[in-house]
Amino acid sequence: MAAVCGNHLYRESKITILRKIMPLKPRWAFVFLIITTSLCSADDDHEMEEFLKREYSLSKPYQGVGSLSSSHWELMGDAMVTTEQVRLTPDMQSRQGAVWSRIPCHLKDWEMQVHFKIHGQGKKNLNGDGLAIWYSKERMQKGPVFGNMDNFTGLGVFVDTYPNEEKHLERIFPYVLAMVGNGTIGYDHERDGRPTELGGCNAMVRNLKHDTFLFIRYVRRRLTVMIDIDGQHEWRDCLDLPGVQLPRGYYFGATALTGDLSDNHDIISLKLYELTVIRSEKEEEEEEEEITIPSVDNFELLRLVPAEEGMSTVAIFFTVLFSMLGCIFLIIIGLVGYNQWKESRRKRFY
């Protein structure tokens, strides 16, 4: 699938080169071969076709960005538009910015390709905090989750550039992770979102000279996240998770946040593609029920895993304290009852 996803970015230039170097007769045979291969690839990828949806996309020269009601995208906070990018935050402390779509998305199957850049003066592990791509019920809400509100409703894909948790044995930053919220689940900053993480991968995206891309696909209730950050024009798997339930009618957006540490967080483009997928009758029946609340199959089991690590020191202290007080109370009640029993026996005999 990675090859299929990446090829469309360079399809036009490759065809031009081939026309120059191939003679006429072999060319027709080659075209036949390409068509046959494309059909096979489509079958392997559920016969999907993609169509760019400009009303949900953001790209140069950014004419659809502004405060007018006719604009498709709206800026918030410290975000600003230049000729080259939408800068969500400058490389300065305590800034947050966002760009949000004004139009709710009602597509059933879609993929978002994000062209972004994170760069700044800070050295390794002295930069932050990161950016996020959203498909959310709420929009234009400032907050602590990479510039968006906590307890959000929808999907967030985070490019986290600073480790808040002191001990990271298996995770290297910057790190890309995904989370689905239903309006009641908070993002755990102290643990870098680990309790609610659906999956992720490390992604060394800072201060690169070549382009960096993030790919988010939602099809057949399956969430796929891939990255292209090595300058090789190839997608690398980051997350592939079935059983993700996302309602229609939510908004796309991008946010970023800086604290004591900072970076430039730039969005060069957000391109949304509608996917047409051929489904069987059984699949149509299974997906007929409307989704109203975001959820993930077995997500509650995933969320309860961190609780098995044990109680905190404070919890242990109060548990022991109340246990001792309970024992003392029971001893006192027992002694009082015993003395009353002895007194009643004494009166009986005398």
Side-chain angles (χ1 to χ4, degrees):
M1 181 171 64
V4 175
C5 298
N7 283 343
H8 75 273
L9 296 173
Y10 317 102
R11 193 176 297 148
E12 185 174 344
S13 61
K14 286 184 177 180
I15 292 175
T16 303
I17 294 172
L18 288 171
R19 284 176 178 171
K20 293 180 180 179
I21 64 174
M22 295 189 66
L24 183 61
K25 289 183 179 180
R27 186 189 303 167
W28 285 107
F30 183 77
V31 169
F32 176 79
L33 179 62
I34 289 294
I35 293 173
T36 305
T37 305
S38 300
L39 291 174
C40 293
S41 299
D43 290 337
D44 292 339
D45 209 9
H46 307 306
E47 299 184 15
M48 285 189 292
E49 294 182 2
E50 58 185 29
F51 303 93
L52 178 65
K53 306 296 288 185
R54 297 189 182 278
E55 64 271 31
Y56 302 117
S57 299
L58 174 68
S59 59
K60 297 177 184 180
Y62 311 115
Q63 293 178 344
V65 181
S67 58
L68 298 177
S69 58
S70 58
S71 301
H72 290 172
W73 293 84
E74 187 175 2
L75 298 177
M76 184 181 69
D78 297 302
M80 60 179 294
V81 180
T82 72
T83 57
E84 298 300 321
Q85 70 269 317
V86 176
R87 176 152 292 174
L88 301 178
T89 69
D91 189 3
M92 301 174 67
Q93 295 179 337
S94 303
R95 301 299 176 96
Q96 60 177 302
V99 59
W100 283 96
S101 173
R102 292 177 179 270
I103 307 173
C105 178
H106 293 278
L107 302 180
K108 191 172 186 178
D109 302 293
W110 50 264
E111 69 179 35
M112 172 71 80
Q113 294 182 20
V114 184
H115 184 185
F116 70 99
K117 188 175 183 64
I118 299 177
H119 57 106
Q121 299 298 318
K123 298 181 180 179
K124 184 179 181 181
N125 294 332
L126 290 175
N127 52 273
D129 286 340
L131 63 82
I133 306 299
W134 302 93
Y135 175 69
S136 173
K137 179 180 180 180
E138 306 87 6
R139 61 182 296 274
M140 302 294 289
Q141 300 291 327
K142 288 186 178 181
V145 186
F146 300 94
N148 190 27
M149 62 179 290
D150 204 357
N151 298 320
F152 62 89
T153 310
L155 169 68
V157 178
F158 312 135
V159 183
D160 191 349
T161 57
Y162 181 76
N164 292 299
E165 192 173 7
E166 293 183 2
K167 295 181 179 180
H168 283 283
L169 300 178
E170 76 286 350
R171 182 176 294 186
I172 301 174
F173 280 75
Y175 192 82
V176 176
L177 66 150
M179 171 183 171
V180 168
N182 60 9
T184 64
I185 303 173
Y187 176 81
D188 190 341
H189 290 274
E190 297 301 321
R191 302 188 62 189
D192 298 308
R194 291 167 67 91
T196 53
E197 175 189 335
L198 300 178
C201 62
N202 65 293
M204 309 305 290
V205 296
R206 290 193 69 251
N207 291 336
L208 299 179
K209 294 182 180 180
H210 52 263
D211 293 332
T212 51
F213 298 89
L214 180 67
F215 171 97
I216 306 168
R217 170 181 282 178
Y218 181 67
V219 58
R220 290 183 169 182
R221 299 185 180 178
R222 188 182 196 98
L223 176 66
T224 304
V225 177
M226 294 189 289
I227 56 176
D228 175 11
I229 61 172
D230 300 320
Q232 301 298 318
H233 307 309
E234 294 181 356
W235 294 111
R236 175 160 64 89
D237 294 336
C238 187
L239 166 68
D240 188 16
L241 186 67
V244 179
Q245 320 286 338
L246 296 177
R248 300 191 219 178
Y250 284 9
Y251 298 90
F252 288 104
T255 66
L257 177 72
T258 66
D260 294 334
L261 304 174
S262 62
D263 255 336
N264 295 301
H265 297 97
D266 299 337
I267 296 293
I268 290 88
S269 68
L270 299 171
K271 294 184 178 180
L272 186 75
Y273 294 86
E274 180 181 11
L275 302 178
T276 59
V277 183
I278 298 178
R279 289 174 166 83
S280 64
E281 292 185 4
K282 182 179 180 181
E283 288 175 328
E284 290 287 354
E285 292 176 359
E286 291 176 351
E287 298 183 11
E288 198 172 281
E289 184 179 352
E290 183 181 1
I291 303 171
T292 57
I293 300 176
S295 63
V296 181
D297 292 350
N298 300 321
F299 182 56
E300 289 296 325
L301 296 177
L302 294 174
R303 265 209 316 141
L304 293 177
V305 169
E308 298 175 0
E309 295 178 359
M311 295 184 295
S312 65
T313 304
V314 176
I316 294 174
F317 171 77
F318 282 107
T319 301
V320 173
L321 176 62
F322 287 122
S323 298
M324 292 177 62
L325 291 176
C327 291
I328 293 172
F329 178 76
L330 291 175
I331 292 172
I332 293 173
I333 294 296
L335 290 174
V336 171
Y338 178 72
N339 289 333
Q340 290 179 347
W341 176 76
K342 285 181 64 177
E343 183 66 22
S344 64
R345 289 196 63 181
R346 188 182 65 81
K347 290 179 179 179
R348 186 183 303 171
F349 288 107
Y350 297 99

